[in-house]
Amino acid sequence: MRSAFQKIPPRYPESWGEFPAGEQIRQAINSVCNDYAERVFGYHFAKLGSLSSAITLEASPIRHHVNLVPDEKTLKKANVCDERDRHDSSSSHRDPFVQCQPSFVVGQSHSLPFSENSIDGFLLANELDFAQDPHEILREVDRVITQNGYVIISGFNPLSLAGIAKFLPVKRGNILHDARFFTSYRIKDWLQLLGFEIVEQRQVMFSTLFFQQKWKGAVKLQEYLASYLPWCSAVYVILAKKRVIPMTAIKPKRNVKPRFSAVGASVRTSTVNRSGR
């Protein structure tokens, strides 16, 4: 397996606002992740990275969400957004029980500050695209996730128009030029090697991502490409489930007293005369 380690770490985005079509990307990923989150049950759900923290999983049955952010600066921004969201939710007529209260933890995705078998679900929203060593992150996820836990991973597709524009001299200061753009086949191969089962994959955002989409016919074009050319989408979202094969003790067979046999030796039998002669 070809190593995905990169000597120079890519620039890490602090929010979706650093992308030209950041809010559109976030909304598209949020919609798919919301559907996937309905299948994840348990007690704790972890979102890794600043991009994952901005994904709101309102349909998740898990009430405790942990947002892992890389530094204090991102934590302050996340707290401001969290306070704004709480204010908006309090002004609406939503049931307060449905609103999950996330907690924020400062840490790194390649060294998770969680104990083994403690997290029921993970969200990695384009976290691997800006990782220096994505293998290390997935190994940490595999260490921390519970048996039959779920992981949701989104990434940029190198086979899309955005993947081609990455290598063109278009907006060289755009952080998308630093993204790794792993294929979904490669991500699924890594997951399967760690014992994950691929449950579902969806393709979203059929555009370059380097420009804001203002064309009125973009919606119909997106629907056409999603139906006939799904492989060229700019973003993919994968849902995988951890499979642990239980170890069952094999019952020993019934012990039978072995018969003695002299292998390679001659056996003499003597006849005893009962008359004493």
Side-chain angles (χ1 to χ4, degrees):
M1 182 176 61
R2 184 162 54 96
S3 175
F5 177 79
Q6 185 172 299
K7 294 183 178 179
I8 302 176
R11 288 182 297 169
Y12 189 82
E14 297 180 357
S15 66
W16 292 101
E18 297 187 24
F19 305 104
E23 183 58 25
Q24 297 177 11
I25 302 172
R26 190 196 68 81
Q27 291 179 1
I29 295 177
N30 203 131
S31 177
V32 178
C33 292
N34 230 357
D35 294 340
Y36 286 167
E38 293 181 354
R39 313 181 192 181
V40 186
F41 296 90
Y43 299 97
H44 309 289
F45 197 106
K47 304 175 185 177
L48 304 187
S50 56
L51 299 180
S52 302
S53 301
I55 302 297
T56 57
L57 303 178
E58 297 178 356
S60 173
I62 300 179
R63 300 271 58 86
H64 182 223
H65 290 187
V66 181
N67 296 333
L68 185 75
V69 293
D71 49 40
E72 295 288 344
K73 182 180 179 181
T74 309
L75 178 61
K76 292 180 180 179
K77 290 184 177 181
N79 286 331
V80 171
C81 295
D82 185 47
E83 290 295 334
R84 182 183 58 191
D85 294 339
R86 290 184 182 181
H87 176 73
D88 294 340
S89 62
S90 62
S91 59
S92 62
H93 297 284
R94 285 184 172 180
D95 186 0
F97 178 76
V98 178
Q99 295 294 325
C100 58
Q101 300 298 334
S103 56
F104 292 87
V105 177
V106 177
Q108 300 297 326
S109 299
H110 61 267
S111 181
L112 297 177
F114 309 125
S115 59
E116 297 181 4
N117 303 321
S118 60
I119 304 298
D120 302 285
F122 277 97
L123 172 61
L124 284 74
N126 298 83
E127 182 71 8
L128 301 181
D129 284 311
F130 299 94
Q132 184 177 12
D133 190 357
H135 292 167
E136 195 172 10
I137 296 178
L138 291 179
R139 284 193 294 266
E140 278 292 282
V141 170
D142 180 60
R143 177 184 67 84
V144 174
I145 198 170
T146 59
Q147 296 184 7
N148 298 321
Y150 285 86
V151 58
I152 304 173
I153 300 177
S154 65
F156 295 122
N157 183 15
L159 304 178
S160 63
L161 294 175
I164 298 174
K166 167 184 166 63
F167 301 98
L168 298 178
V170 178
K171 293 190 174 183
R172 299 305 302 177
N174 195 324
I175 196 171
L176 279 172
H177 286 287
D178 286 40
R180 305 292 300 274
F181 278 85
F182 297 111
T183 62
S184 61
Y185 304 102
R186 195 174 182 186
I187 300 296
K188 290 187 290 186
D189 184 46
W190 295 343
L191 291 172
Q192 289 172 346
L193 288 175
L194 292 173
F196 285 87
E197 175 190 357
I198 308 302
V199 179
E200 189 178 341
Q201 176 182 341
R202 296 187 193 178
Q203 315 292 130
V204 294
M205 293 294 296
F206 293 84
S207 58
T208 62
L209 303 185
F210 282 84
F211 304 95
Q212 292 285 353
Q213 301 298 319
K214 299 181 179 180
W215 182 39
K216 295 182 179 179
V219 177
K220 293 184 178 180
L221 179 61
Q222 297 260 342
E223 295 177 353
Y224 176 83
L225 294 175
S227 301
Y228 299 100
L229 297 174
W231 54 269
C232 68
S233 68
V235 180
Y236 56 84
V237 187
I238 300 173
L239 175 66
K241 184 177 183 180
K242 179 64 178 179
R243 289 296 190 185
V244 178
I245 301 177
M247 298 180 63
T248 57
I250 300 176
K251 295 182 178 180
K253 294 182 179 180
R254 182 180 177 183
N255 292 330
V256 181
K257 188 177 181 179
R259 295 181 179 181
F260 176 78
S261 61
V263 180
S266 60
V267 179
R268 293 183 179 181
T269 59
S270 59
T271 304
V272 179
N273 192 343
R274 294 180 182 274
S275 61
R277 298 177 57 183

